[in-house]
């Protein structure tokens, strides 16, 4: 079924992606991620000594600060902080640096739809730039369900508002490994089929949700390839001194 | 790894002595001369009123938004201009999230004084209906990277954002002319703000040995210097504001020297800002032309040979 999207994309087409690392000088790691007009800047400081009050000192702690473009910090920003924190906690290896805090600061530069997935992608790239040990990367994507039942990927802000429901999905990135085929599977399924985070808005049927998951998974493979190319290219040009 | 576990950054005694000794021979650690400014790059975002300024390693983002509100009681015919500065924790490991600290407040006040007291932005043109509806312009300054001299960079970001901001056009309507209709940008072209002149902030650092003076200190120099002074001047030679809060005493002739230097630097920075804004405005105008492909066809005359 052919769908007419305003910017001429097809159902499964993502907006142009752009990512650059090491853009800030004081931060230990930084990255800027843009999907079309949505642009997010992430910076990482860490590990710093000590954990926050109610956190487990046997593990490293992750602190997320979300800065909106304008206005006061309210409940939606706190929710984003919590989702980002839990997603990144499951991606980072927390046992390597116990009793430390890693701070991730996310600044929204422009919001044109799919803000939270862009922020998660930017935060992961900033963590890589800072050299924080991680198990794998988190690849985030947004899927929308329209009233007639078709699913579109990576909506703009207008599309998000018009749609019946949308879901932010985060998957682990696809693995290229030298280990034998079967060892990286979890319960018989490859690692990248697992889902780290899922946040939905609006009403969708169970079938629609599974359809979204399938589409999201396929798109996450493309995103993983983009990330891999980006990281390999930049690691050959420059090394971060100190 | 030990260095990164520290929550705050401190300069070692060796580094401090090196900076001071180098300054005795008029050498700064980044290779500049004492009265040389760092390279300024001004970029703009997709929306009207968003700017990003990079001054050497310092990076500041400015965002201007407007809202219709009731004016203050004692100024019923004037609009409202407010500046919010955010020292984002991403700029410096010692910046804490939450309430702005004294540095943030001071920075906000210096920029506010430069814009408001000198009447750089015309607030009377922001009045739509006296005592009922005026535009409240809000400038958000996000400090993204602290490479020293945040005031100057933030000031340039605020000015660049103000010059490219467009507010919606509105007209009075309703039965008795007391209702305000705000026209969306697709129907009526949004209007720019009236900015009379550009107050540019120029900061100086004073060092204790032999009253050495530098312009545009980096964050290493800021950790070493004994006093700082920020002068806000415009290209016409008017002094809009001077801020010197504490620090060591400085003789009068040095202050006069600073003011003269500031005036000459302000002229070149003003030109740079205006050029950058000009480029963006032409780009936006061209983009608008492309959006409406209803232009008439061009007829090509054949040359009759």
């Amino acid at each position: 079924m052919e769908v007419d999207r305003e910017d001429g994309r097809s159902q499964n087409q993502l907006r142009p992606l752009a990512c650059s690392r090491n853009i800030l000088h004081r931060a230990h790691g930084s990255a800027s991620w843009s999907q079309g007009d949505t642009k997010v800047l992430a910076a990482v400081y860490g590990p710093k000594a000590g954990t926050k009050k109610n956190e487990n000192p046997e593990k490293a702690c992750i602190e997320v600060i979300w800065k909106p473009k304008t206005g006061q910090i309210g409940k939606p920003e706190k929710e984003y902080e919590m989702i980002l924190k839990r997603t990144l906690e499951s991606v980072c290896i927390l046992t390597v640096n116990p009793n430390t805090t890693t701070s991730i600061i996310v600044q929204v530069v422009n919001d044109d739809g799919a803000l939270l997935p862009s922020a998660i992608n930017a935060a992961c790239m900033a963590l890589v730039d800072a050299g924080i040990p991680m198990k794998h990367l988190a690849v985030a994507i947004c899927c929308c369900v329209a009233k007639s039942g078709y699913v579109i990927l990576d909506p703009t802000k207008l599309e998000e508002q018009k749609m019946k429901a949308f879901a932010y999905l985060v998957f682990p990135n696809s693995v290229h490994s030298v280990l034998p085929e079967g060892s990286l599977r979890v319960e018989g399924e490859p690692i990248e089929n697992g889902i780290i985070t899922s946040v939905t808005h609006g009403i969708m049927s169970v079938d629609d949700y599974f359809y979204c998951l399938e589409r999201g998974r396929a798109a996450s493979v493309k995103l993983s390839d983009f990330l891999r190319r980006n990281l390999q290219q930049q690691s050959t040009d420059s090394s971060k001194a100190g | 790894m030990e260095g990164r576990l520290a929550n705050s950054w401190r300069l070692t005694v060796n580094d401090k002595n090196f900076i001071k000794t180098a300054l005795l021979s008029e050498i700064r650690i980044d290779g500049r001369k004492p009265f040389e400014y760092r390279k300024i790059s001004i970029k703009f975002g997709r929306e009207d009123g968003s700017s990003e300024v990079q001054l050497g390693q310092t990076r500041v983002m400015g965002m201007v938004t407007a809202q219709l509100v009731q004016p203050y009681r004692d100024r019923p015919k004037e609009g409202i201009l407010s500046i919010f500065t955010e020292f984002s924790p991403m700029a410096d490991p010692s910046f804490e999230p939450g309430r702005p600290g004294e540095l943030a407040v001071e920075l906000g006040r210096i920029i506010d004084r430069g814009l408001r007291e000198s009447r750089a932005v015309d607030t009377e043109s922001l009045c739509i209906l006296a005592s009922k509806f005026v535009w409240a312009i809000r400038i958000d300054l996000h400090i993204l990277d602290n490479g020293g001299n945040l005031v100057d960079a933030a000031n340039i970001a605020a000015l660049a954002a103000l010059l490219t901001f467009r507010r919606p056009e509105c007209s009075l309507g309703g039965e008795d002319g007391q209702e305000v209709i705000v026209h969306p940008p697709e129907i009526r072209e949004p209007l720019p703000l009236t900015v009379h002149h550009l107050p540019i902030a120029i900061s100086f650092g004073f060092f204790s040995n032999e009253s050495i003076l530098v312009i545009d200190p980096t964050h290493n120099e800021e950790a070493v210097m004994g006093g700082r002074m920020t002068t806000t001047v415009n290209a016409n030679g008017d002094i809009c504001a001077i801020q010197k809060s504490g620090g060591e005493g400085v003789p009068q002739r040095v202050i006069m020297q600073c003011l003269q230097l500031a005036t000459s630097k302000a002229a070149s920075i003003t030109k740079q800002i205006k050029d950058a804004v000009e480029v963006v405005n032409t780009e936006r105008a061209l983009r608008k032309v492309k959006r409406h492909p209803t232009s008439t066809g061009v007829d090509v005359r054949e040359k009759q040979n």
Side-chain angles (χ1 to χ4, degrees), chain A residues 38-242:
Chain A
T38 301
K39 188 157 178 230
V40 178
L41 189 59
V44 171
Y45 278 101
K48 294 187 279 192
T51 47
K52 299 261 176 267
K53 249 173 75 165
N54 295 327
E55 299 280 347
N56 185 2
E58 308 262 336
K59 291 193 174 163
C61 158
I62 296 191
E63 176 196 12
V64 177
I65 299 166
W66 181 284
K67 291 274 177 197
K69 193 165 65 165
T70 179
Q72 300 280 48
I73 296 187
K75 299 266 166 51
E77 283 76 33
K78 290 281 176 211
E79 188 192 358
Y80 286 153
E81 283 178 9
M82 184 211 54
I83 297 173
L84 252 174
K85 178 176 142 81
R86 300 232 183 122
T87 307
L88 295 172
E89 270 177 358
S90 64
V91 167
C92 294
I93 303 177
L94 298 175
T95 47
V96 173
N97 294 315
N99 203 17
T100 60
T101 306
T102 302
S103 307
I104 297 156
I105 302 109
V106 174
Q107 170 75 55
V108 176
V109 177
N110 196 21
D111 178 12
D112 189 29
L115 184 60
L116 188 58
S118 306
I120 294 175
N121 291 329
C124 275
M125 295 300 268
L127 285 169
V128 170
D129 192 44
I132 306 290
M134 298 198 281
K135 296 177 219 164
H136 49 72
L137 291 177
V139 173
I141 191 95
C142 176
C143 306
C144 268
V145 178
K147 290 190 189 62
S148 37
Y150 61 84
V151 168
I152 58 171
L153 290 179
D154 198 15
T156 59
K157 200 158 187 75
L158 286 172
E159 288 174 337
E160 250 179 27
Q161 284 162 348
K162 281 193 294 189
M163 291 289 149
K164 182 172 77 160
F166 59 90
Y168 298 137
L169 301 166
V170 184
F171 300 96
N173 72 329
S174 54
V175 176
H176 287 188
S177 161
V178 295
L179 296 175
E181 181 61 48
S183 60
L184 284 175
R185 290 177 166 250
V186 177
E187 289 182 8
E189 288 208 38
I191 273 190
E192 55 262 26
N193 281 5
I195 180 167
I196 302 176
T197 299
S198 155
V199 183
T200 60
H201 291 251
I203 303 178
M204 58 171 91
S205 68
V206 177
D207 288 329
D208 282 340
Y209 182 64
F210 283 128
Y211 192 37
C212 280
L213 282 185
E214 199 188 294
R215 281 292 157 88
R217 216 169 269 141
S220 74
V221 173
K222 290 277 155 54
L223 266 175
S224 304
D225 286 337
F226 171 76
L227 285 173
R228 184 165 276 119
R229 273 199 313 265
N230 201 294
L231 287 169
Q232 280 175 338
Q233 197 182 22
Q234 284 200 311
S235 65
T236 50
D237 320 311
S238 61
S239 64
K240 199 177 159 99

Side-chain angles (χ1 to χ4, degrees), chain B:
Chain B
M1 202 57 159
E2 248 49 46
R4 283 165 57 152
L5 289 177
N7 285 358
S8 62
W9 163 86
R10 265 189 235 293
L11 208 51
T12 61
V13 176
N14 301 25
D15 278 329
K16 287 188 185 171
N17 289 340
F18 184 74
I19 296 176
K20 287 188 192 155
T21 341
L23 278 170
L24 287 173
S25 339
E26 300 211 339
I27 302 173
R28 294 170 79 171
I29 48 170
D30 54 354
R32 286 185 284 159
K33 302 225 193 45
F35 301 140
E36 207 181 304
Y37 230 78
R38 281 177 289 182
K39 180 169 168 319
I40 305 175
S41 96
I42 307 175
K43 285 199 232 111
F44 297 88
R46 291 280 296 178
E47 292 186 346
D48 292 331
S50 77
S51 66
E52 196 179 300
V53 170
Q54 211 162 344
L55 174 63
Q57 289 192 348
T58 303
R59 209 166 150 141
V60 180
M61 191 169 76
M63 206 78 73
V64 174
T65 45
Q67 225 188 346
L68 270 177
V69 295
Q70 246 193 345
Y72 294 137
R73 274 187 195 228
D74 52 345
R75 288 170 211 251
K77 295 211 180 101
E78 282 184 21
I80 301 173
L81 181 71
S82 48
I83 300 181
F84 289 85
T85 39
E86 283 257 22
F87 270 36
S88 174
M90 70 164 64
D92 196 296
S94 59
F95 290 168
E96 298 280 321
R99 272 185 52 209
E102 31 176 71
L103 283 176
V105 172
E106 190 184 4
L107 191 148
R109 292 290 298 145
I110 297 176
I111 299 181
D112 187 81
R113 234 174 324 155
L115 286 173
R116 193 201 304 277
E117 314 274 320
S118 64
R119 311 243 189 280
V121 178
D122 185 16
T123 44
E124 287 185 1
S125 62
L126 297 173
C127 174
I128 308 299
L129 195 56
S131 314
K132 295 257 178 63
F133 289 111
V134 297
W135 284 109
I137 306 287
R138 181 190 162 117
I139 307 176
D140 279 283
L141 294 165
H142 299 280
I143 313 284
L144 302 176
D145 208 358
N146 180 14
N149 200 4
L150 294 172
V151 187
D152 295 13
N155 197 25
I156 299 176
L159 290 171
L162 280 170
L163 287 173
T164 52
F165 177 66
R166 300 281 178 267
R167 64 171 176 87
E169 189 179 335
C170 42
S171 46
L172 296 173
E175 307 88 43
D176 49 354
Q178 293 295 304
E179 272 176 32
V180 177
I181 310 165
V182 178
H183 301 282
E186 294 86 38
I187 314 285
R188 294 238 195 130
E189 196 64 29
L191 307 167
L193 295 174
T194 323
V195 180
H196 296 301
H197 63 94
L198 297 177
I200 310 281
I202 313 269
S203 292
F204 297 88
F206 304 118
F207 295 82
S208 34
N209 38 359
E210 309 196 9
S211 33
I212 299 178
L213 170 70
V214 297
I215 203 174
D216 187 20
T218 61
H219 69 283
N220 290 317
E221 289 166 344
E222 279 181 349
V224 181
M225 65 190 185
R228 78 175 298 144
M229 181 169 81
T230 303
T231 58
T232 309
V233 295
N234 67 11
N236 303 336
D238 303 323
I239 301 174
C240 305
I242 299 182
Q243 173 99 350
K244 183 187 185 309
S245 40
E248 50 170 59
V250 166
Q252 202 182 32
R253 57 165 178 82
V254 176
I255 304 275
M256 293 310 294
Q257 187 189 6
C258 289
L259 286 171
Q260 278 162 1
L261 264 171
T263 320
S264 59
K265 295 287 174 199
S268 59
I269 296 178
T270 308
K271 184 171 178 314
Q272 204 176 346
I273 299 178
K274 286 199 171 146
D275 288 342
V277 170
E278 196 55 48
V279 169
V280 168
N281 285 341
T282 9
E283 226 180 80
R284 289 227 176 103
L286 283 175
R287 240 193 292 150
K288 289 203 172 88
V289 169
K290 281 193 190 143
R291 247 204 288 154
H292 299 288
T294 52
S295 52
T296 53
V298 178
D299 35 285
V300 179
R301 297 249 175 112
E302 269 186 77
K303 255 204 175 155
Q304 307 280 342
N305 276 37

